[in-house]
Amino acid sequence: MPAWKSITNPSQAMLIQEVRVMRGPNMWSDSHSHVLAVKMHPSVPSISTGQLQAISDYLAPLAITESDGTERETLLLRLTVRLAAALQGSEMFHGLRAPTSDLTFGVVGYEVEQAGTVAVELASSILASLLEGGQPPTFAEAAAVVLAARRRYGEGPSTTMIIDAARSKNIPVTPGPGGYTILGYGKHQKKISAAMSHNTSCIAVNIAGNKEHTKKFLESAALPVPKGVVVAEELDLEAAAERLGFPLVAKPFNGNQGRNVTCGIYSLDALRDAFRHAKELSRSVIVEKEISGSDYRILVIGGKFAAASLRSPAMVIGDGIRTVAELVEQENNNPMRGQGHENALTKIRLDQSSETLLASQGLNTGSIPVMGRQVCLKSTANLSTGGTAEDVTDLIHPLNIRAAEKAARVIGLDICGIDIVSGDIALPLRENGAAIIEVNAAPGLRMHKFPSKGASREVGAPIVELMFPQGDQGRIPIVAITGTNGKTTTTRLMAHVASSAGKTVGFSSTDGIYIGSEKIQSGDCSGPQSARTILHDTTVDFAVLECARGGIIRSGLGFDQCDIAIVTNVAADHLGLKDIHTVADLAVVKSVVPRSVHKDGWAILNASDDHAFAMREALRCRVALFCTDHENPRLQEHLNAGGTAVYMDAKQDIYVCHEGAALFMLNAAEAPITRRGLAGFMIENLLPVALAAHLSGFRQSTIADALKGFVPSAEHTPGRINEFEINGVNVIVDYAHNPHGLLALAGYLKNIPGFKTGIITGTGDRREEDIAAFGRIAASMYDRIIIRFDRDLRGRSQEQILDILASGIREKDPGRQFEVIPDTQTAIHHAVATAEKGSVVVICADNATYTVGLTKIVAAQFQSEAQ
């Protein structure tokens, strides 16, 4: 059970019907990618005056008032997202968004997805409880639950600093598998884990993790280190003490973060206790001569000194009133202190080592130190044990900088934290008996960014600069393609051209994910997760991503920005699903893709499509047009203004106009995908590809040769006019599954002579008017109609689908007859068996790959019968 459930009443009706988690550019906000879109339950009742008063009383201390929403219909939604923002502990983006006329969602930002989701659920639960007169958790209790989720799932401070620095350079950041963070895309990506980078040497990490080996490497380079020995058995401690002399330090052989380290050992008994404490973490224990002085941390990045801090162990100062335990509690209430690494400082935890150290000072946790007395609570100065840090970057002696840089080189770490004990870091190490006591891989960065005293140092930036030098943003070209029809063919064409230009292309579409020539995943892969799969592939240097409506609605885009966006068209499809009821609504969803183009990139829009063309008004990038009609007024106006476009003239010659020049590409009939120039909708798919390829810097000859060499087939372009000759009949399988697509197919079939049989069906989750329109169009383009049914009827019965299709057919032709053969394979076989030689049978299929497979089975059956 989630933690937040434990402090709410499970019987309370939640106010929320749905929460959509956006992880990229989305339809809710142009400036925020990480948002939650909240839909209220339609049965939420109106609010009475008494209920409103109860809500107001709860929210008043948070400065959330009824004025946050004057309309009672949206008041609860406004208050839900406002409260969810407050529960996350910062002034998070929030508000209401209505991208379409009848669609209103609450939108709230998040920094940690799981914490944001918990915040929304808790906000809803609190308001529901108040409406029912219940006792919801206090704001502090709810905020603590959200904070726990943030701690559990959020990034640590070092990772966050590097991520922030990367984003400031416009380097894309995405979570990777196993908790790693990926900076950049494709072949240019780098991985980080806290302050350990893509380039960190495994051998160097092993050396740094072995304190004895570290010391030997430093000694070999004539760098000062404390004298010490490795002790595995307690019996050897006395000899070690005699050899080294007190005071001593004992620490685990391979420990970190100062855990189980004991300093200031002045007796054999204390040494034995320290040995046992260190043995809890390590089989062997390092016993060293204690170096007198202060504890300094030197940060070296890429072999260059970056920052220095003076670290002090956790301590409290007596006031003559409070006990040590009470003073620790008071200090832990400092807002700068948090659990673990969540804040600038870590809360102090009193443990056995603290008790021992207190005893050496003549105190215990119940003692009341006199006013002004400093009480040391830890023997090490690590921030992870409650220590503090003061920035001394400007004080360190140049010779000490050279020594630190040398130590980093000797160990071989690209990001290195060097611990030095010195009486004064402003003096050379050898002048005051100082020594390097430790070298750390993946050093903590927060002490430098958030010192208790002194200047803040932006140490994340040089780490990013080390991985991405000289303005490198770690990006690869991304062409994103959306629209209602033609997306997959356009995607495949674009990928083919880029591959012909020598690129290692990753592309995703409705039939799979491809890396180079290999299909690595089958199925509908047109969503954001498929895009991320491609962008995380280390071989890809050019991405072509099909972006369908479903993924955009569900969680936004799978990338932060693209270089080129193509919008093929916007027509009725999937209407009535996920709150998208009109073509205008659908256009809002599709517009997310061109709005994700960076300001110097290109949106290539269909000039002949009203909704696609209208998208240009909301874009920050450069706009180009494509059109098969050279005389199109929109195209002509754009060209006359010096705009970039691609078009086809009356001779079917294709030209790209860019920067005042018209470049001939090829004749449309030369591209096999256009079926000798007869398939107008295929030409519409080809045109934006020719322009996108040109804008990508590919040569005209490369583009033309690639388009001429793209041969459509059932394997290469499944469901895109796949033709089979079966028993003397021309059988065509096409993906036309909505009225717009069927009209486009009709335009091609007009150019094909012969009797035409159409095998059609209706998709159950489409609107009734769309299924009926499919029937009307089918009646106008086929001489004979056979109705079949999909395996998945998507919410409607066969009888319902049949009735709607029949109504559309008879609306067009009242006397029209049709056959009903429910099974698809049987329908194909029957159509071919009863068709005249030389005629055409067309199978319209939503699942084109499956239907192509059935068609091949039928072909084999006829071939077997002929033998």
Side-chain angles (χ1 to χ4, degrees):
M1 177 182 295
W4 67 270
K5 291 284 189 181
S6 64
I7 62 168
T8 59
N9 183 350
S11 67
Q12 292 168 356
M14 299 297 287
L15 304 178
I16 297 172
Q17 183 180 31
E18 181 183 7
V19 177
R20 301 175 188 171
V21 182
M22 301 294 122
R23 303 180 180 93
N26 57 82
M27 59 192 287
W28 308 107
S29 173
D30 285 335
S31 55
H32 296 83
S33 292
H34 295 160
V35 298
L36 303 168
V38 181
K39 181 181 182 181
M40 296 297 283
H41 201 283
S43 61
V44 171
S46 58
I47 308 173
S48 69
T49 302
Q51 290 172 322
L52 184 58
Q53 185 60 53
I55 293 173
S56 298
D57 291 344
Y58 185 95
L59 300 178
L62 309 176
I64 302 174
T65 66
E66 185 182 353
S67 62
D68 285 290
T70 55
E71 297 180 10
R72 290 293 181 93
E73 293 78 9
T74 60
L75 177 57
L76 279 175
L77 183 54
R78 286 178 180 274
L79 295 178
T80 297
V81 296
R82 179 69 179 86
L83 180 55
L87 286 170
Q88 293 182 71
S90 60
E91 187 56 38
M92 199 69 66
F93 163 74
H94 63 275
L96 298 191
R97 292 294 182 271
T100 66
S101 58
D102 59 350
L103 178 64
T104 300
F105 272 59
V107 182
V108 59
Y110 67 84
E111 292 179 357
V112 177
E113 178 182 318
Q114 294 86 349
T117 302
V118 169
V120 169
E121 292 173 335
L122 272 168
S124 170
S125 178
I126 288 169
L127 293 176
S129 176
L130 292 169
L131 289 175
E132 295 179 359
Q135 291 293 323
T138 66
F139 178 83
E141 290 172 329
V145 174
V146 176
L147 180 59
R150 185 187 183 93
R151 289 172 182 161
R152 180 177 180 183
Y153 297 105
E155 301 286 2
S158 295
T159 303
T160 299
M161 279 180 247
I162 297 171
I163 287 174
D164 290 345
R167 286 179 172 151
S168 71
K169 291 187 63 176
N170 197 31
I171 296 169
V173 179
T174 52
Y180 292 87
T181 300
I182 297 177
L183 310 181
Y185 289 147
K187 68 182 294 183
H188 300 308
Q189 67 180 272
K190 302 288 191 297
K191 301 176 183 68
I192 62 167
S193 177
M196 190 176 293
S197 85
H198 191 83
N199 302 317
T200 300
S201 163
C202 179
I203 290 177
V205 172
N206 286 340
I207 294 171
N210 184 308
K211 295 183 179 2
E212 185 65 15
H213 290 174
T214 297
K215 183 183 295 186
K216 288 179 179 179
F217 270 93
L218 296 177
E219 283 179 322
S220 72
L223 289 166
V225 295
K227 294 179 180 180
V229 294
V230 177
V231 180
E233 301 294 336
E234 191 171 328
L235 293 174
D236 298 325
L237 289 175
E238 186 172 354
E242 289 179 358
R243 175 181 172 185
L244 299 172
F246 294 106
L248 296 171
V249 175
K251 52 189 174 183
F253 184 81
N254 53 3
N256 56 38
Q257 296 184 340
R259 291 183 301 167
N260 294 47
V261 174
T262 304
C263 302
I265 302 171
Y266 285 89
S267 69
L268 190 57
D269 286 342
L271 180 58
R272 292 192 182 100
D273 290 341
F275 176 84
R276 294 164 190 157
H277 188 48
K279 284 274 282 187
E280 294 174 3
L281 296 182
S282 180
R283 291 184 178 180
S284 298
V285 176
I286 295 176
V287 178
E288 290 180 340
K289 180 69 176 178
E290 184 172 67
I291 307 296
S292 61
S294 300
D295 188 310
Y296 295 92
R297 164 62 63 84
I298 314 299
L299 180 66
V300 177
I301 300 171
K304 301 292 184 181
F305 168 69
S309 292
L310 167 62
R311 302 189 299 176
S312 300
M315 66 176 64
V316 292
I317 299 176
D319 61 3
I321 300 173
R322 295 177 178 83
T323 66
V324 170
E326 290 170 338
L327 289 169
V328 170
E329 182 180 1
Q330 180 187 38
E331 175 59 26
N332 283 340
N333 288 330
N334 180 344
M336 291 185 66
R337 292 194 181 271
Q339 298 293 338
H341 297 280
E342 72 180 11
N343 219 332
L345 298 174
T346 298
K347 289 182 182 294
I348 302 169
R349 187 171 66 89
L350 295 174
D351 55 16
Q352 182 58 50
S353 64
S354 304
E355 298 276 4
T356 302
L357 190 57
L358 284 169
S360 70
Q361 300 169 78
L363 301 170
N364 57 49
T365 57
S367 301
I368 300 176
V370 298
M371 175 73 72
R373 180 179 179 181
Q374 290 187 343
V375 179
C376 190
L377 301 169
K378 300 290 180 181
S379 59
T380 62
N382 298 71
L383 263 66
S384 57
T385 59
T388 59
E390 175 185 349
D391 178 71
V392 293
T393 300
D394 297 330
L395 302 179
I396 186 170
H397 193 280
L399 288 178
N400 295 343
I401 290 175
R402 288 173 57 184
E405 291 175 345
K406 183 177 181 180
R409 289 196 304 272
V410 168
I411 303 303
L413 286 170
D414 60 332
I415 305 169
C416 183
I418 299 163
D419 293 340
I420 295 175
V421 174
S422 171
D424 187 351
I425 202 68
L427 297 175
L429 300 182
R430 296 190 184 280
E431 289 188 10
N432 59 6
I436 299 173
I437 60 171
E438 213 168 289
V439 176
N440 301 274
L445 303 179
R446 62 176 172 154
M447 70 181 76
H448 306 295
K449 173 71 172 177
F450 305 107
S452 304
K453 183 179 179 182
S456 172
R457 306 292 173 173
E458 295 293 339
V459 293
I463 293 176
V464 173
E465 189 69 28
L466 183 64
M467 292 185 285
F468 300 93
Q470 299 175 351
D472 177 15
Q473 294 182 341
R475 294 184 177 274
I476 61 173
I478 297 176
V479 177
I481 299 165
T482 194
T484 299
N485 292 308
K487 297 187 298 296
T488 298
T489 300
T490 304
T491 297
R492 283 184 168 273
L493 278 169
M494 187 68 226
H496 178 74
V497 175
S499 179
S500 299
K503 300 295 185 180
T504 300
V505 181
F507 76 91
S508 59
S509 69
T510 52
D511 56 21
I513 300 174
Y514 295 77
I515 304 295
S517 60
E518 180 186 1
K519 186 176 186 177
I520 66 169
Q521 187 171 327
S522 298
D524 187 347
C525 298
S526 57
Q529 184 55 54
S530 299
R532 281 188 282 270
T533 297
I534 288 170
L535 296 174
H536 284 177
D537 191 288
T538 56
T539 66
V540 171
D541 59 11
F542 198 100
V544 185
L545 308 174
E546 180 177 340
C547 304
R549 53 167 289 286
I552 298 173
I553 293 171
R554 184 174 61 254
S555 60
L557 299 178
F559 49 87
D560 63 333
Q561 65 181 47
C562 63
D563 301 276
I564 298 174
I566 297 173
V567 183
T568 59
N569 47 66
V570 184
D573 193 22
H574 297 93
L575 300 183
L577 302 176
K578 285 292 182 182
D579 304 298
I580 305 301
H581 300 289
T582 68
V583 179
D585 294 348
L586 187 59
V588 171
V589 178
K590 303 289 186 183
S591 71
V592 172
V593 178
R595 286 193 285 112
S596 73
V597 181
H598 61 79
K599 65 181 180 63
D600 297 320
W602 292 91
I604 303 177
L605 309 177
N606 188 341
S608 65
D609 185 285
D610 292 344
H611 292 287
F613 181 72
M615 291 179 189
R616 74 197 189 286
E617 301 293 344
L619 303 182
R620 59 171 181 159
C621 64
R622 295 179 285 185
V623 174
L625 300 178
F626 72 93
C627 191
T628 56
D629 177 14
H630 180 219
E631 301 300 324
N632 181 286
R634 293 168 177 168
L635 178 71
Q636 285 299 315
E637 181 180 359
H638 185 72
L639 290 173
N640 291 336
T644 294
V646 59
Y647 63 85
M648 182 180 71
D649 67 11
K651 297 179 181 179
Q652 291 198 316
D653 287 337
I654 295 174
Y655 290 89
V656 165
C657 294
H658 181 52
E659 296 180 342
L663 176 66
F664 171 75
M665 282 291 175
L666 74 163
N667 186 275
E670 295 179 281
I673 193 72
T674 70
R675 306 288 171 165
R676 303 176 302 281
L678 300 177
F681 66 99
M682 286 298 186
I683 298 174
E684 282 203 338
N685 297 333
L686 182 148
L687 288 177
V689 170
L691 179 53
H694 177 75
L695 295 174
S696 297
F698 303 150
R699 293 188 301 175
Q700 182 273 341
S701 58
T702 300
I703 299 169
D705 289 346
L707 295 175
K708 293 174 185 177
F710 185 88
V711 179
S713 66
E715 290 72 32
H716 206 181
T717 53
R720 277 71 184 179
I721 315 183
N722 301 144
E723 297 191 67
F724 304 85
E725 195 282 320
I726 305 176
N727 198 36
V729 177
N730 181 19
V731 178
I732 298 174
V733 179
D734 195 84
Y735 187 60
H737 62 290
N738 56 52
H740 183 268
L742 192 59
L743 280 171
L745 179 62
Y748 169 65
L749 292 178
K750 286 179 181 178
N751 300 311
I752 306 299
F755 188 90
K756 300 178 183 66
T757 299
I759 302 177
I760 68 170
T761 190
T763 307
D765 60 358
R766 302 303 196 269
R767 298 180 306 172
E768 184 172 323
E769 54 262 46
D770 296 326
I771 300 174
F774 203 87
R776 286 196 301 274
I777 298 167
S780 68
M781 60 188 286
Y782 295 126
D783 302 298
R784 175 191 181 196
I785 296 175
I786 297 174
I787 296 176
R788 64 171 186 87
F789 301 106
D790 287 329
R791 293 173 298 170
D792 182 0
L793 298 177
R794 304 191 189 187
R796 280 193 168 95
S797 66
Q798 291 186 0
E799 291 75 15
Q800 290 172 324
I801 293 173
L802 177 60
D803 287 345
I804 300 170
L805 281 173
S807 68
I809 292 170
R810 288 173 180 147
E811 182 180 342
K812 178 65 179 179
D813 184 354
R816 187 65 177 273
Q817 299 298 309
F818 52 83
E819 300 169 73
V820 179
I821 303 177
D823 178 69
T824 300
Q825 183 176 327
T826 303
I828 297 170
H829 193 283
H830 173 75
V832 173
T834 56
E836 296 181 2
K837 306 296 187 194
S839 66
V840 180
V841 171
V842 182
I843 310 155
C844 296
D846 185 30
N847 190 334
T849 302
Y850 172 72
T851 306
V852 165
L854 294 182
T855 305
K856 290 180 177 179
I857 292 173
V858 171
Q861 289 172 342
F862 276 99
Q863 185 176 5
S864 176
E865 293 169 6
Q867 295 173 349

